[in-house]
């Protein structure tokens, strides 16, 4: 499987970079993972009407330009569909059975994701009603993808 992680912004903290490196290593036997980071806009200091929408639009345009062709697009969205780890593994396995081996997960920045990015997604995936920082969300997603492959292969991992 070829998985693109399309993210707004870079990881800044060393401990997150270390965690990312570890999960990319763990995932290497199961999938080819490509990280694509688009530039994050500074959040507007004032509550000027439309300022946040302008940020979302700029970041959204950058994201839409980088979605690979012919892939299943999954946007991470707090208000999306919640799955258990086993259901998520089942979803990935089902895609594989249908020959859909190219996936693109999209993680927004501090401002979230623009409506047209969410509209482009085949699935809007929620990891709970909590709002996670986007940099940490990337690590949580990598861990869940790793967990899903362990479940699919029937390999031992904490369930
Ligand atoms: C700091 S959050 C954005 C907050 C923004 N105010 C919102 O409500 O969308 C940054 C990104 O992390 C991802 N994210 C954060 N919490 C999430 C959750 N519980 N489920 C799925 N994705 C989440 C989303 O892609 C989001 O765009």
């Amino acid at each position: 499987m070829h998985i693109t992680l399309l993210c707004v912004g870079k990881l800044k903290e060393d401990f997150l970079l270390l965690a990312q490196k570890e999960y990319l290593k763990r995932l290497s036997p199961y999938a080819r993972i490509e990280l694509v980071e688009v530039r994050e806009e500074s959040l507007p200091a004032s509550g000027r009407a439309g300022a946040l929408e302008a940020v979302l639009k700029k970041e959204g345009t950058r994201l839409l330009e980088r979605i690979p062709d012919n892939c299943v697009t999954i946007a991470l969205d707090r208000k999306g569909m919640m799955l258990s780890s086993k259901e998520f593994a089942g979803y990935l396995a089902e895609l594989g059975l249908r020959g859909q081996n190219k996936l693109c997960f999209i993680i927004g920045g501090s401002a979230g994701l623009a409506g047209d990015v969410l509209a482009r997604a085949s699935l809007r995936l929620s990891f709970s009603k909590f709002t996670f920082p986007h940099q940490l969300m990337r690590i949580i997603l990598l861990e869940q993808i790793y967990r899903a492959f362990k479940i699919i292969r029937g390999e031992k991992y904490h369930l």
Side-chain angles (χ1 to χ4, degrees):
M1 201 165 248
H2 184 171
I3 299 176
T4 302
L5 256 57
L6 179 52
C7 310
V8 175
K10 292 183 180 298
L11 293 192
K12 293 184 181 136
E13 309 290 346
D14 285 348
F15 67 93
L16 293 173
L17 284 164
L18 266 177
Q20 173 175 276
K21 191 172 168 199
E22 173 64 26
Y23 281 109
L24 290 177
K25 187 178 84 184
R26 290 190 193 191
L27 274 162
S28 59
Y30 304 101
R32 198 174 127 216
I33 311 277
E34 186 181 357
L35 285 175
V36 178
E37 296 171 328
V38 303
R39 186 159 55 83
E40 180 166 25
E41 291 290 311
S42 308
L43 281 184
S46 73
R48 182 171 58 82
L52 197 63
E53 285 70 21
V55 166
L56 286 175
K57 192 169 169 42
K58 281 184 195 164
E59 291 177 351
T61 302
R62 289 176 199 139
L63 289 170
L64 289 170
E65 280 169 355
R66 301 298 301 273
I67 296 175
D69 292 335
N70 306 317
C71 68
V72 176
T73 306
I74 300 158
L76 268 65
D77 174 22
R78 196 169 42 82
K79 296 182 187 151
M81 181 187 281
M82 279 187 227
L83 300 175
S84 68
S85 296
K86 278 189 178 170
E87 287 166 340
F88 181 55
Y91 172 75
L92 295 188
E94 180 65 31
L95 289 177
L97 286 176
R98 285 197 260 131
Q100 292 180 304
N101 288 317
K102 274 179 80 179
L103 310 188
C104 176
F105 289 89
I106 308 178
I107 304 178
S110 304
L113 285 171
D116 48 359
V117 176
L118 293 173
R120 172 75 173 68
S122 312
L123 172 68
R124 290 160 68 162
L125 181 62
S126 172
F127 278 76
S128 85
K129 291 184 190 171
F130 287 104
T131 300
F132 297 108
H134 54 302
Q135 296 183 34
L136 185 58
M137 192 68 248
R138 192 191 305 191
I139 306 302
I140 297 170
L141 173 63
L142 282 168
E143 194 279 336
Q144 285 299 313
I145 297 172
Y146 174 66
R147 185 178 291 268
F149 280 113
K150 298 297 272 185
I151 292 170
I152 291 168
R153 301 274 180 99
E155 292 171 2
K156 191 167 155 39
Y157 190 59
H158 304 290
L159 283 176

